[in-house]
Amino acid sequence: MSQIALPSSKPNNPNFSSGPCAKRPGWSVDALKDAPFGRSHRAKVGKAKLEQVIDLSAEILGLPAGWRLGIVPASDTGAVEMALWSLLGARGVDMFAWDTFGLTWVADVNKQLKLDDVRVFTAPFGRLPDLSQADFDRDVVFTWNGTTAGVRVPDGDWIAADRQGLTICDATSAVFAMDMPWDKLDVVTWSWQKVLGGEGAHGMLALSPRAVERLETHVPAWPLPKIFRLTSGGKLVEGIFRGETINTPSMLAVEDQIDALLWAKSVGGLPGLMARAEASRKAIQDWLDASDWAVNLVEVPAQRSCTSVCMTIKAPVFTALSAEDQAAFAKKMVSLLDKHGVAFDIGSYRDAPPGLRIWTGATVETADVVALLPWLDWAFAQVAADTVSK
C-alpha cells in the first residue's frame, strides 16, 4: 500500500453516524443520574419525566396551539406506521419518495394496507420528485429530509393552505434542524436518536387538529395492533399525549432526552440548533466546491440537507470502475478513516450510490467537521493511489 502523509490533527469527536447520532457536546453518563431507575413509568415521577419531554419538545419547536404531541413505540418507524395505519383510507393518497425510507412507506401503503387509490411519485437518489403534482384534495405522504439521499424539501410553499386531505410528514432527520411550516402539516413524526443525539426505540407523533378530527371520524378497514391504537370509543386517547405511553418506555432514554432538550435550549433553542447544522453543512459544501474528486450527491443547492450530507466521487479513477469496484473503493475509504479513529459510520446507505454520508446535525461541532475534511482528501488519495498501482 502506498503511504501518503497523514493530516496533522483529528476531530475531537469522530462520531458522524446518521443514527444513532453524536451525543451533545460535553455529554457524559452523569447526565443520567436523575433517571428514576426501577420506578414505574406510570408513577408520578415517571409520568412527570415523560410530560417534560413532550412539553420541552413542543416549546422548542414552537408547536402551534391545539396540536397534540405524544411519545410512541418503535422510533420514527413506529410513529410513521401508526399514522399510516390509523389515518389512511378515507381519501386517495399521493406518495412522494426519493430515499430508502420514503420507498418503505410506499411499500407499506401498497403491499400491506393495499389501498386502491394510490399515486406514487419517485425520484432517484439526489433529486426530488415533482412536488407540483401533489393533489391536496387527497392525503399526501412524504419525508421532509431523505436521510439516505441527502435531499430535503426546501420549504412548504408547494403545500396548499386550503387542502382537504392530510399532509403526513416523516421528519425524523429534519425536526430540530430545519424550519418546519406547521401550518402546512398535519402529521409530523421523528425519533430521539437523530438531531438531538438521543437514544433509540422511541418515536414522537405530532398531530394537528385536522388529524385528530380524522382519527375521531374515520374507522380503518383493517384491524389495528394495540400499539397503533390512538382512539377508544371514537375519541382520541388523550393520555398518550400527556405522557401515558402505550407501552413501557426506557426511563434511562427519557432522562437522556430531557438532557438533550435542555442543552438545545441552552444553545438558543431552534434558531441555535438550525445555525449549528447549517454551519457544518456550509463547511462541507465549501470544501466540496473546491474539491477535484468529491461532489454533493444533490445537484440543487436549496435541496441539500443540513443534517445528512451525502457525497459521491467524480474523479476518473473512480468513475472508470465497475459498480462493484466503486462500492469497494468507497468502503476502503471508510475503513481507513475508521481505523485511524477519525470518522465512524460514514459510508453511504446500502441502497444509495457509493460514496460518503456525513451527519451534521446540531450535536456535531463544526470544528470537528472542518478537522475531518483533510482526512477525506487523505483517504481518497490513499485508495486512489492503490487503485492505480494495481
Side-chain angles (χ1 to χ4, degrees):
M1 177 180 284
S2 304
Q3 294 300 317
I4 297 172
L6 299 172
S8 58
S9 61
K10 298 180 179 181
N12 289 324
N13 185 352
N15 295 325
F16 297 100
S17 164
S18 292
C21 301
K23 308 300 288 183
R24 55 98 173 158
W27 183 91
S28 75
V29 293
D30 289 341
L32 309 179
K33 64 181 184 299
D34 291 332
F37 299 111
R39 295 297 306 275
S40 170
H41 63 293
R42 303 188 193 284
K44 185 176 180 180
V45 62
K47 186 170 180 289
K49 295 280 188 180
L50 290 159
E51 286 182 305
Q52 189 176 4
V53 169
I54 293 170
D55 292 343
L56 282 172
S57 298
E59 175 191 348
I60 293 168
L61 294 172
L63 205 65
W67 278 63
R68 268 71 159 203
L69 178 60
I71 299 169
V72 299
S75 195
D76 179 65
T77 300
V80 173
E81 294 193 329
M82 179 181 288
L84 299 182
W85 260 249
S86 300
L87 291 163
L88 294 186
R91 292 173 177 264
V93 58
D94 286 357
M95 308 284 299
F96 289 84
W98 56 91
D99 87 320
T100 302
F101 293 102
L103 292 171
T104 297
W105 312 143
V106 170
D108 277 356
V109 169
N110 279 332
K111 297 181 180 180
Q112 303 301 321
L113 298 182
K114 299 180 180 179
L115 296 181
D116 294 328
D117 188 4
V118 180
R119 302 195 307 167
V120 178
F121 304 89
T122 63
F125 281 85
R127 300 180 185 177
L128 279 178
D130 183 0
L131 300 177
S132 71
Q133 296 296 307
D135 178 354
F136 291 99
D137 284 338
R138 303 160 63 84
D139 294 331
V140 178
V141 179
F142 65 103
T143 56
W144 193 271
N145 183 82
T147 313
T148 65
V151 183
R152 65 174 166 182
V153 176
D155 53 51
D157 293 350
W158 60 284
I159 301 174
D162 60 349
R163 61 193 177 278
Q164 297 302 304
L166 299 179
T167 49
I168 300 174
C169 177
D170 170 4
T172 191
S173 57
V175 168
F176 294 112
M178 303 176 197
D179 192 14
M180 307 299 296
W182 298 103
D183 61 321
K184 297 293 187 74
L185 303 171
D186 293 298
V187 180
V188 181
T189 68
W190 66 92
S191 59
W192 293 357
Q193 75 264 27
K194 293 294 187 183
V195 177
L196 295 185
E199 294 303 299
H202 302 81
M204 302 295 287
L205 176 67
L207 301 174
S208 74
R210 298 180 72 247
V212 173
E213 181 184 18
R214 170 74 65 84
L215 283 169
E216 294 183 336
T217 58
H218 168 64
V219 178
W222 43 82
L224 288 178
K226 178 182 178 181
I227 61 170
F228 284 2
R229 295 173 196 163
L230 294 167
T231 60
S232 178
K235 293 295 182 182
L236 189 72
V237 180
E238 294 283 1
I240 294 172
F241 306 94
R242 295 197 298 262
E244 297 172 12
T245 54
I246 295 173
N247 68 340
T248 305
S250 163
M251 297 311 297
L252 184 68
V254 169
E255 192 70 25
D256 185 68
Q257 186 67 3
I258 291 171
D259 173 75
L261 289 162
L262 292 174
W263 170 80
K265 291 188 68 173
S266 77
V267 298
L270 183 59
L273 296 170
M274 291 170 58
R276 289 175 63 87
E278 285 292 341
S280 294
R281 180 207 61 78
K282 184 178 185 302
I284 295 180
Q285 191 57 51
D286 288 348
W287 171 81
L288 283 169
D289 289 342
S291 177
D292 61 358
W293 66 268
V295 64
N296 199 308
L297 184 61
V298 184
E299 294 181 4
V300 180
Q303 297 173 5
R304 290 171 179 162
S305 173
C306 67
T307 56
S308 53
V309 180
C310 296
M311 64 184 74
T312 189
I313 301 171
K314 64 181 180 181
V317 68
F318 177 86
T319 58
L321 299 173
S322 67
E324 182 179 358
D325 288 341
Q326 287 182 355
F329 187 109
K331 287 180 180 178
K332 287 176 184 177
M333 289 182 62
V334 170
S335 179
L336 280 174
L337 294 165
D338 185 291
K339 178 181 178 181
H340 285 272
V342 173
F344 301 137
D345 313 317
I346 66 166
S348 295
Y349 197 75
R350 58 180 178 266
D351 298 335
L356 305 174
R357 179 177 60 162
I358 300 171
W359 181 257
T360 54
T363 57
V364 174
E365 297 277 33
T366 300
D368 285 333
V369 172
V370 172
L372 169 64
L373 299 176
W375 283 92
L376 300 184
D377 286 325
W378 169 82
F380 170 76
Q382 183 70 69
V383 178
D386 294 341
T387 300
V388 171
S389 67
K390 288 183 178 179

